[in-house]
Amino acid sequence: MKRLLALGLSLFMAADAAAATLRPQDLARMQELSQQTGVPMSQISRATGLADFRQAVLDAYKRPAESKPWYEYEALFLTEKRIRQGVDFWRTHAADLARAERTFNVPASVIVAIIGVETFYGGNMGKHPVLDSLYTLAFYHPTRTEFFSKEFVNYIRLGNQQGWDLKARQGSYAGAMGMGQFMPSSYLTYAVDFDGDGHKDLFSNPTDAIGSVANYFHKHGWKMGDAVVEAAQLTRPAAAGKVQDRVELKQRWQELQNAGVRVKTPLQADTPVTLLQYAQPDYSEYWVARQNFYVITRYNKSPLYAMAVHNLSQQIAKQYYGR
């Protein structure tokens, strides 16, 4: 009994010491998150004590691929190898993908493309310790501490739920995990046990990863059978002033049409849309984004990312069906 009491006291003192190393504003934020999430401060303090600051994480965060022009960004993902391996992934997991499509009303091609863009079909899930990445961004990023603090605490919640060693999991520099690169909050909210084995394993179970990506898109409002984007022509100079840099669907089709934007597929006047511009080396492409395109940006807010996913899904489907 004395030994157990001594061990408990030492753990409490270690947690208290870790908490004492936090800046007052960090400690206050963690205490608030502890109350909101139900994660004890002792666990949060222990996690901060286990975590290591990594400058490489901050450096990587400053160099996102989305800072590239479209023609360079597209070339990273629209490769023959990624398309070919996407077709192979689809064939290997055809039954699971068909079931996910029926269950969640999300196309198999889009599910495959997401996993292809995020991790090359599970081949590259990241080599950064998730705990260290989230700790570094939660306490040292100059502008995103609020977001990453929540993810840091949600990672502790997730570890409790899954029985993980917090130091063992690896992911992206931003703390995204598994074949679909879910942040901890997304893992907690959207991950599903799609094979019914009692576990939500997005690291080594493609069935769960497929179902979870499909569930994510379903919960964010994917409309099966609707278009994703429409190729557009600008017939008047004023139309260029309608271009947006984010996909928010705050425009209406009538507004763009009146400004001189044209598409081949007729749209209802009140259809929510966003006009986007994509740079090629010698010219620009214009596209009208619709609801399903917006849903892809719930995964990653970049219009470049969403277009890459869409284009990859189309190319994979074309080869899969032999068209």
Side-chain angles (χ1 to χ4, degrees):
M1 179 62 72
K2 289 182 178 179
R3 292 175 63 184
L4 288 174
L5 288 172
L7 177 60
L9 180 60
S10 65
L11 289 174
F12 175 81
M13 292 175 64
D16 192 57
T21 65
L22 299 178
R23 296 173 299 180
Q25 64 269 31
D26 295 330
L27 182 57
R29 191 168 68 251
M30 290 298 106
Q31 289 171 335
E32 182 179 358
L33 288 170
S34 174
Q35 293 174 353
Q36 292 174 358
T37 62
V39 176
M41 268 303 297
S42 59
Q43 292 186 11
I44 296 174
S45 296
R46 179 178 180 275
T48 60
L50 290 172
D52 294 312
F53 168 79
R54 293 183 179 263
Q55 182 62 44
V57 167
L58 293 180
D59 293 342
Y61 203 90
K62 296 175 183 176
R63 310 188 296 270
E66 287 77 14
S67 62
K68 298 178 182 292
W70 166 241
Y71 58 88
E72 291 183 7
Y73 185 89
E74 181 184 31
L76 297 175
F77 300 104
L78 270 293
T79 65
E80 284 301 320
K81 182 178 181 181
R82 203 180 299 261
I83 295 167
R84 183 178 66 253
Q85 291 195 9
V87 173
D88 292 342
F89 182 87
W90 194 340
R91 288 172 177 160
T92 300
H93 303 288
D96 289 330
L97 285 159
R99 183 162 62 92
E101 187 169 288
R102 291 193 306 271
T103 302
F104 299 105
N105 287 316
V106 176
S109 60
V110 173
I111 302 168
V112 174
I114 284 287
I115 296 174
V117 167
E118 290 293 340
T119 63
F120 222 117
Y121 313 104
N124 181 17
M125 291 187 281
K127 297 182 179 180
H128 295 271
V130 173
L131 181 68
D132 295 352
S133 293
L134 293 175
Y135 168 80
T136 299
L137 294 168
F139 296 104
Y140 296 96
H141 193 278
T143 61
R144 299 299 307 279
T145 55
E146 182 175 353
F147 172 80
F148 284 107
S149 292
K150 293 177 181 177
E151 294 298 341
F152 180 75
V153 175
N154 277 323
Y155 180 61
I156 300 169
R157 286 180 63 201
L158 183 61
N160 290 339
Q161 180 190 91
Q162 301 294 322
W164 290 346
D165 174 356
L166 294 181
K167 286 289 284 185
R169 293 290 165 178
Q170 293 186 325
S172 76
Y173 66 82
M177 297 171 286
M179 298 179 70
Q181 293 290 273
F182 278 22
M183 295 298 289
S185 59
S186 293
Y187 206 124
L188 286 164
T189 305
Y190 303 109
V192 296
D193 174 17
F194 203 49
D195 65 355
D197 68 352
H199 303 283
K200 299 176 182 178
D201 177 8
L202 307 189
F203 288 88
S204 58
N205 188 330
T207 302
D208 284 358
I210 287 167
S212 299
V213 170
N215 184 47
Y216 188 99
F217 274 70
H218 172 70
K219 291 291 179 63
H220 282 85
W222 185 272
K223 294 183 177 181
M224 191 70 162
D226 277 11
V228 178
V229 287
E230 306 278 356
Q233 290 185 327
L234 275 55
T235 62
R236 294 203 297 270
K242 298 295 184 178
V243 170
Q244 306 293 303
D245 58 4
R246 292 186 296 178
V247 184
E248 297 181 333
L249 301 184
K250 291 184 177 180
Q251 297 169 311
R252 293 295 180 268
W253 169 242
Q254 186 67 63
E255 173 191 347
L256 298 187
Q257 189 176 37
N258 291 344
V261 180
R262 299 290 181 266
V263 296
K264 289 184 178 180
T265 305
L267 299 175
Q268 294 293 324
D270 62 348
T271 301
V273 292
T274 299
L275 180 63
L276 300 170
Q277 180 179 9
Y278 290 83
Q280 296 292 357
D282 301 317
Y283 64 97
S284 290
E285 300 174 0
Y286 296 92
W287 295 83
V288 173
R290 297 178 58 184
Q291 169 68 18
N292 285 341
F293 195 89
Y294 173 79
V295 173
I296 299 175
T297 64
R298 300 310 86 197
Y299 217 95
N300 180 317
K301 292 182 179 181
S302 167
L304 302 183
Y305 174 91
M307 187 64 83
V309 168
H310 172 63
N311 287 352
L312 181 61
S313 73
Q314 289 190 312
Q315 291 301 315
I316 292 171
K318 182 178 179 180
Q319 290 200 18
Y320 181 80
Y321 291 114
R323 295 197 295 264

